[in-house]
Amino acid sequence: MSVGLMALLDDIAALAKVAAASLDDVAGMTAKAGTKAAGVVIDDAAVTPRYVTGFSAARELPIIGKIALGSLRNKLVFLLPAALALSLLAPQAIMPLLMLGGLYLCYEGAEKIYGLIFPHAAHAHEAEVEPISIDAQSFEDGKVAGAIRTDFILSAEIMTITLGTVPDAGLPTQALVLGVVGIAITVAVYGAVALIVKADDVGLMLARVSASSPIGVLSRLIGRVLVRGMPYFLKLLGILGTAAMVWVGGGIILHGFAGYGYGWLSHLLHDAGAAAAHILPAAGAVVSWLVEAAGAGVVGVAIGAATIPVASYCVAPLWRWIRTRLRRTSPA
């Protein structure tokens, strides 16, 4: 009996070691995937704050909460199973879907730039694509839905990058890594967004602190800087978010074309980056990245600009027809 018990304990210890090693592998894969997806994560954090601008302070956190829940649903309910299914059944379909997502990002970014250059025409275009509602709740719901749609594209890119870091892992390990990365990135992104959009309220609170002590004086100074600086910071984030859309979207499309054997433009941008790095060797890696990112952004703007008339004259009429049909067939 004692020998059998010792053997059983040895087996349990061996299984525990295997389980611990598996958890270590999952943790390592998760960290690697999160690092590779860091660029898209930053883009996501830069894009989101613009969806809460124009709302009262009391609605900012609830709206962020709605978007965060929608982001989790995107990642865990839709994208995680879809990524696993595609990797098993149709891995060749992943790239075309990513390119469609990139096209949507290019369109969104180009539309924002178009709005800055031609504001009146942009308002007319937006009214064609999506009718404007004067109801406050409908306006908020539309903003949240738009943010979740944009998040879906960025989340798809994050999940695809994550899946690419564990191509040879078993299905349970892939699912676990995708789930951990999806949850961790969502918490990090929308936690940061919540801090950003509420920083002015924190600044107002600090600005009201009594100045009877050195700490109070410093608190009031920090508060005033936050209150006065956050509107400019949010505008800067909006610009960065728009730039991120066209940069990421253009990069996805370029990468997709390269995968299908049409990589001459990607190679051209890479060579331009290498040449710029050679000119400024002290900051070679940064300069090379900036040149390639700027090139991808230019491509993204060009592609997005080309999709604006398509959205106005093809997609918008089709969308209105579908909405009309749905209203007619829906029960009263």
Side-chain angles (χ1 to χ4, degrees), residues 40 45 57 81 95 99 105 158 161-162 172 181 217 292 324 328:
V40 184
M95 185 55 69
M99 293 179 72
L105 287 177
I158 290 168
I161 292 172
T162 302
V181 168
V217 172
E292 292 188 48
T324 303
R328 289 177 180 174

mmCIF file with all atom_site columns, all heavy atoms in Angstrom, residues 40 45 57 81 95 99 105 158 161-162 172 181 217 292 324 328:
data_model
loop_
_atom_site.group_PDB
_atom_site.id
_atom_site.type_symbol
_atom_site.label_atom_id
_atom_site.label_alt_id
_atom_site.label_comp_id
_atom_site.label_asym_id
_atom_site.label_entity_id
_atom_site.label_seq_id
_atom_site.pdbx_PDB_ins_code
_atom_site.Cartn_x
_atom_site.Cartn_y
_atom_site.Cartn_z
_atom_site.occupancy
_atom_site.B_iso_or_equiv
_atom_site.pdbx_formal_charge
_atom_site.auth_seq_id
_atom_site.auth_comp_id
_atom_site.auth_asym_id
_atom_site.auth_atom_id
_atom_site.pdbx_PDB_model_num
ATOM 1   N N   . VAL A 1 40  ? -0.978  47.909 -32.602 1.00 0.00 ? 40  VAL A N   1
ATOM 2   C CA  . VAL A 1 40  ? -2.423  48.006 -32.821 1.00 0.00 ? 40  VAL A CA  1
ATOM 3   C C   . VAL A 1 40  ? -3.127  48.425 -31.534 1.00 0.00 ? 40  VAL A C   1
ATOM 4   O O   . VAL A 1 40  ? -4.130  49.138 -31.567 1.00 0.00 ? 40  VAL A O   1
ATOM 5   C CB  . VAL A 1 40  ? -2.974  46.660 -33.334 1.00 0.00 ? 40  VAL A CB  1
ATOM 6   C CG1 . VAL A 1 40  ? -4.445  46.778 -33.668 1.00 0.00 ? 40  VAL A CG1 1
ATOM 7   C CG2 . VAL A 1 40  ? -2.195  46.199 -34.558 1.00 0.00 ? 40  VAL A CG2 1
ATOM 8   N N   . ALA A 1 45  ? -6.189  52.592 -28.474 1.00 0.00 ? 45  ALA A N   1
ATOM 9   C CA  . ALA A 1 45  ? -6.299  53.568 -27.390 1.00 0.00 ? 45  ALA A CA  1
ATOM 10  C C   . ALA A 1 45  ? -6.386  54.994 -27.931 1.00 0.00 ? 45  ALA A C   1
ATOM 11  O O   . ALA A 1 45  ? -7.043  55.854 -27.345 1.00 0.00 ? 45  ALA A O   1
ATOM 12  C CB  . ALA A 1 45  ? -5.107  53.439 -26.450 1.00 0.00 ? 45  ALA A CB  1
ATOM 13  N N   . ALA A 1 57  ? -20.014 65.043 -18.925 1.00 0.00 ? 57  ALA A N   1
ATOM 14  C CA  . ALA A 1 57  ? -19.061 64.280 -18.116 1.00 0.00 ? 57  ALA A CA  1
ATOM 15  C C   . ALA A 1 57  ? -19.713 63.063 -17.486 1.00 0.00 ? 57  ALA A C   1
ATOM 16  O O   . ALA A 1 57  ? -19.068 62.015 -17.322 1.00 0.00 ? 57  ALA A O   1
ATOM 17  C CB  . ALA A 1 57  ? -18.462 65.179 -17.035 1.00 0.00 ? 57  ALA A CB  1
ATOM 18  N N   . PRO A 1 81  ? -13.630 32.372 -31.602 1.00 0.00 ? 81  PRO A N   1
ATOM 19  C CA  . PRO A 1 81  ? -14.059 31.165 -32.325 1.00 0.00 ? 81  PRO A CA  1
ATOM 20  C C   . PRO A 1 81  ? -13.794 31.241 -33.824 1.00 0.00 ? 81  PRO A C   1
ATOM 21  O O   . PRO A 1 81  ? -13.421 30.239 -34.450 1.00 0.00 ? 81  PRO A O   1
ATOM 22  C CB  . PRO A 1 81  ? -15.569 31.094 -32.038 1.00 0.00 ? 81  PRO A CB  1
ATOM 23  C CG  . PRO A 1 81  ? -15.784 31.933 -30.837 1.00 0.00 ? 81  PRO A CG  1
ATOM 24  C CD  . PRO A 1 81  ? -14.747 33.010 -30.911 1.00 0.00 ? 81  PRO A CD  1
ATOM 25  N N   . MET A 1 95  ? -6.428  36.278 -44.689 1.00 0.00 ? 95  MET A N   1
ATOM 26  C CA  . MET A 1 95  ? -5.849  37.479 -45.275 1.00 0.00 ? 95  MET A CA  1
ATOM 27  C C   . MET A 1 95  ? -6.875  38.325 -46.016 1.00 0.00 ? 95  MET A C   1
ATOM 28  O O   . MET A 1 95  ? -6.901  39.554 -45.850 1.00 0.00 ? 95  MET A O   1
ATOM 29  C CB  . MET A 1 95  ? -4.681  37.114 -46.194 1.00 0.00 ? 95  MET A CB  1
ATOM 30  C CG  . MET A 1 95  ? -3.946  38.334 -46.757 1.00 0.00 ? 95  MET A CG  1
ATOM 31  S SD  . MET A 1 95  ? -3.374  39.471 -45.462 1.00 0.00 ? 95  MET A SD  1
ATOM 32  C CE  . MET A 1 95  ? -2.085  38.475 -44.707 1.00 0.00 ? 95  MET A CE  1
ATOM 33  N N   . MET A 1 99  ? -7.781  42.221 -45.100 1.00 0.00 ? 99  MET A N   1
ATOM 34  C CA  . MET A 1 99  ? -7.687  43.305 -46.069 1.00 0.00 ? 99  MET A CA  1
ATOM 35  C C   . MET A 1 99  ? -8.994  44.093 -46.148 1.00 0.00 ? 99  MET A C   1
ATOM 36  O O   . MET A 1 99  ? -8.977  45.315 -46.304 1.00 0.00 ? 99  MET A O   1
ATOM 37  C CB  . MET A 1 99  ? -7.290  42.752 -47.440 1.00 0.00 ? 99  MET A CB  1
ATOM 38  C CG  . MET A 1 99  ? -5.874  42.194 -47.475 1.00 0.00 ? 99  MET A CG  1
ATOM 39  S SD  . MET A 1 99  ? -5.407  41.502 -49.080 1.00 0.00 ? 99  MET A SD  1
ATOM 40  C CE  . MET A 1 99  ? -5.227  43.002 -50.057 1.00 0.00 ? 99  MET A CE  1
ATOM 41  N N   . LEU A 1 105 ? -10.827 50.620 -42.305 1.00 0.00 ? 105 LEU A N   1
ATOM 42  C CA  . LEU A 1 105 ? -10.046 51.590 -41.536 1.00 0.00 ? 105 LEU A CA  1
ATOM 43  C C   . LEU A 1 105 ? -9.586  52.752 -42.426 1.00 0.00 ? 105 LEU A C   1
ATOM 44  O O   . LEU A 1 105 ? -9.617  53.910 -42.004 1.00 0.00 ? 105 LEU A O   1
ATOM 45  C CB  . LEU A 1 105 ? -8.831  50.912 -40.904 1.00 0.00 ? 105 LEU A CB  1
ATOM 46  C CG  . LEU A 1 105 ? -9.104  49.988 -39.714 1.00 0.00 ? 105 LEU A CG  1
ATOM 47  C CD1 . LEU A 1 105 ? -7.803  49.343 -39.258 1.00 0.00 ? 105 LEU A CD1 1
ATOM 48  C CD2 . LEU A 1 105 ? -9.742  50.748 -38.571 1.00 0.00 ? 105 LEU A CD2 1
ATOM 49  N N   . ILE A 1 158 ? -5.583  42.368 -33.825 1.00 0.00 ? 158 ILE A N   1
ATOM 50  C CA  . ILE A 1 158 ? -4.906  41.911 -32.606 1.00 0.00 ? 158 ILE A CA  1
ATOM 51  C C   . ILE A 1 158 ? -4.998  40.395 -32.480 1.00 0.00 ? 158 ILE A C   1
ATOM 52  O O   . ILE A 1 158 ? -4.001  39.713 -32.200 1.00 0.00 ? 158 ILE A O   1
ATOM 53  C CB  . ILE A 1 158 ? -5.510  42.598 -31.370 1.00 0.00 ? 158 ILE A CB  1
ATOM 54  C CG1 . ILE A 1 158 ? -5.133  44.077 -31.345 1.00 0.00 ? 158 ILE A CG1 1
ATOM 55  C CG2 . ILE A 1 158 ? -5.048  41.925 -30.078 1.00 0.00 ? 158 ILE A CG2 1
ATOM 56  C CD1 . ILE A 1 158 ? -5.908  44.891 -30.327 1.00 0.00 ? 158 ILE A CD1 1
ATOM 57  N N   . ILE A 1 161 ? -2.805  38.669 -35.128 1.00 0.00 ? 161 ILE A N   1
ATOM 58  C CA  . ILE A 1 161 ? -1.392  38.726 -34.736 1.00 0.00 ? 161 ILE A CA  1
ATOM 59  C C   . ILE A 1 161 ? -1.116  37.717 -33.629 1.00 0.00 ? 161 ILE A C   1
ATOM 60  O O   . ILE A 1 161 ? -0.106  37.002 -33.645 1.00 0.00 ? 161 ILE A O   1
ATOM 61  C CB  . ILE A 1 161 ? -1.021  40.145 -34.289 1.00 0.00 ? 161 ILE A CB  1
ATOM 62  C CG1 . ILE A 1 161 ? -1.061  41.105 -35.487 1.00 0.00 ? 161 ILE A CG1 1
ATOM 63  C CG2 . ILE A 1 161 ? 0.370   40.169 -33.651 1.00 0.00 ? 161 ILE A CG2 1
ATOM 64  C CD1 . ILE A 1 161 ? -0.893  42.562 -35.099 1.00 0.00 ? 161 ILE A CD1 1
ATOM 65  N N   . THR A 1 162 ? -2.026  37.647 -32.663 1.00 0.00 ? 162 THR A N   1
ATOM 66  C CA  . THR A 1 162 ? -1.869  36.706 -31.557 1.00 0.00 ? 162 THR A CA  1
ATOM 67  C C   . THR A 1 162 ? -1.861  35.271 -32.060 1.00 0.00 ? 162 THR A C   1
ATOM 68  O O   . THR A 1 162 ? -1.021  34.457 -31.651 1.00 0.00 ? 162 THR A O   1
ATOM 69  C CB  . THR A 1 162 ? -3.015  36.892 -30.539 1.00 0.00 ? 162 THR A CB  1
ATOM 70  O OG1 . THR A 1 162 ? -3.008  38.238 -30.071 1.00 0.00 ? 162 THR A OG1 1
ATOM 71  C CG2 . THR A 1 162 ? -2.856  35.953 -29.361 1.00 0.00 ? 162 THR A CG2 1
ATOM 72  N N   . PRO A 1 172 ? -6.433  23.921 -27.645 1.00 0.00 ? 172 PRO A N   1
ATOM 73  C CA  . PRO A 1 172 ? -6.708  24.502 -26.314 1.00 0.00 ? 172 PRO A CA  1
ATOM 74  C C   . PRO A 1 172 ? -5.733  25.618 -25.946 1.00 0.00 ? 172 PRO A C   1
ATOM 75  O O   . PRO A 1 172 ? -6.147  26.643 -25.377 1.00 0.00 ? 172 PRO A O   1
ATOM 76  C CB  . PRO A 1 172 ? -6.563  23.303 -25.369 1.00 0.00 ? 172 PRO A CB  1
ATOM 77  C CG  . PRO A 1 172 ? -6.784  22.108 -26.224 1.00 0.00 ? 172 PRO A CG  1
ATOM 78  C CD  . PRO A 1 172 ? -6.219  22.456 -27.554 1.00 0.00 ? 172 PRO A CD  1
ATOM 79  N N   . VAL A 1 181 ? -5.075  37.221 -24.001 1.00 0.00 ? 181 VAL A N   1
ATOM 80  C CA  . VAL A 1 181 ? -4.648  38.443 -24.682 1.00 0.00 ? 181 VAL A CA  1
ATOM 81  C C   . VAL A 1 181 ? -5.843  39.367 -24.915 1.00 0.00 ? 181 VAL A C   1
ATOM 82  O O   . VAL A 1 181 ? -5.763  40.585 -24.689 1.00 0.00 ? 181 VAL A O   1
ATOM 83  C CB  . VAL A 1 181 ? -3.952  38.107 -26.015 1.00 0.00 ? 181 VAL A CB  1
ATOM 84  C CG1 . VAL A 1 181 ? -3.770  39.358 -26.863 1.00 0.00 ? 181 VAL A CG1 1
ATOM 85  C CG2 . VAL A 1 181 ? -2.605  37.463 -25.755 1.00 0.00 ? 181 VAL A CG2 1
ATOM 86  N N   . VAL A 1 217 ? -0.241  73.915 -3.190  1.00 0.00 ? 217 VAL A N   1
ATOM 87  C CA  . VAL A 1 217 ? 0.130   74.774 -4.320  1.00 0.00 ? 217 VAL A CA  1
ATOM 88  C C   . VAL A 1 217 ? 0.465   73.923 -5.539  1.00 0.00 ? 217 VAL A C   1
ATOM 89  O O   . VAL A 1 217 ? 0.034   74.216 -6.669  1.00 0.00 ? 217 VAL A O   1
ATOM 90  C CB  . VAL A 1 217 ? 1.326   75.674 -3.936  1.00 0.00 ? 217 VAL A CB  1
ATOM 91  C CG1 . VAL A 1 217 ? 1.841   76.420 -5.162  1.00 0.00 ? 217 VAL A CG1 1
ATOM 92  C CG2 . VAL A 1 217 ? 0.932   76.652 -2.837  1.00 0.00 ? 217 VAL A CG2 1
ATOM 93  N N   . GLU A 1 292 ? 8.441   54.220 -43.243 1.00 0.00 ? 292 GLU A N   1
ATOM 94  C CA  . GLU A 1 292 ? 7.546   53.146 -43.682 1.00 0.00 ? 292 GLU A CA  1
ATOM 95  C C   . GLU A 1 292 ? 6.118   53.401 -43.212 1.00 0.00 ? 292 GLU A C   1
ATOM 96  O O   . GLU A 1 292 ? 5.158   53.163 -43.956 1.00 0.00 ? 292 GLU A O   1
ATOM 97  C CB  . GLU A 1 292 ? 8.051   51.806 -43.163 1.00 0.00 ? 292 GLU A CB  1
ATOM 98  C CG  . GLU A 1 292 ? 9.364   51.364 -43.800 1.00 0.00 ? 292 GLU A CG  1
ATOM 99  C CD  . GLU A 1 292 ? 9.751   49.949 -43.419 1.00 0.00 ? 292 GLU A CD  1
ATOM 100 O OE1 . GLU A 1 292 ? 8.884   49.055 -43.504 1.00 0.00 ? 292 GLU A OE1 1
ATOM 101 O OE2 . GLU A 1 292 ? 10.914  49.723 -43.033 1.00 0.00 ? 292 GLU A OE2 1
ATOM 102 N N   . THR A 1 324 ? -34.952 50.006 -45.303 1.00 0.00 ? 324 THR A N   1
ATOM 103 C CA  . THR A 1 324 ? -36.364 50.148 -45.658 1.00 0.00 ? 324 THR A CA  1
ATOM 104 C C   . THR A 1 324 ? -37.055 48.795 -45.679 1.00 0.00 ? 324 THR A C   1
ATOM 105 O O   . THR A 1 324 ? -38.175 48.641 -45.162 1.00 0.00 ? 324 THR A O   1
ATOM 106 C CB  . THR A 1 324 ? -36.499 50.832 -47.030 1.00 0.00 ? 324 THR A CB  1
ATOM 107 O OG1 . THR A 1 324 ? -35.843 52.102 -46.992 1.00 0.00 ? 324 THR A OG1 1
ATOM 108 C CG2 . THR A 1 324 ? -37.961 51.024 -47.395 1.00 0.00 ? 324 THR A CG2 1
ATOM 109 N N   . ARG A 1 328 ? -40.160 47.406 -43.266 1.00 0.00 ? 328 ARG A N   1
ATOM 110 C CA  . ARG A 1 328 ? -41.422 46.931 -43.809 1.00 0.00 ? 328 ARG A CA  1
ATOM 111 C C   . ARG A 1 328 ? -41.762 45.519 -43.337 1.00 0.00 ? 328 ARG A C   1
ATOM 112 O O   . ARG A 1 328 ? -42.920 45.180 -43.154 1.00 0.00 ? 328 ARG A O   1
ATOM 113 C CB  . ARG A 1 328 ? -41.372 46.951 -45.337 1.00 0.00 ? 328 ARG A CB  1
ATOM 114 C CG  . ARG A 1 328 ? -41.403 48.361 -45.933 1.00 0.00 ? 328 ARG A CG  1
ATOM 115 C CD  . ARG A 1 328 ? -41.271 48.316 -47.443 1.00 0.00 ? 328 ARG A CD  1
ATOM 116 N NE  . ARG A 1 328 ? -41.298 49.650 -48.035 1.00 0.00 ? 328 ARG A NE  1
ATOM 117 C CZ  . ARG A 1 328 ? -41.091 49.882 -49.315 1.00 0.00 ? 328 ARG A CZ  1
ATOM 118 N NH1 . ARG A 1 328 ? -40.837 48.877 -50.158 1.00 0.00 ? 328 ARG A NH1 1
ATOM 119 N NH2 . ARG A 1 328 ? -41.132 51.130 -49.767 1.00 0.00 ? 328 ARG A NH2 1
#
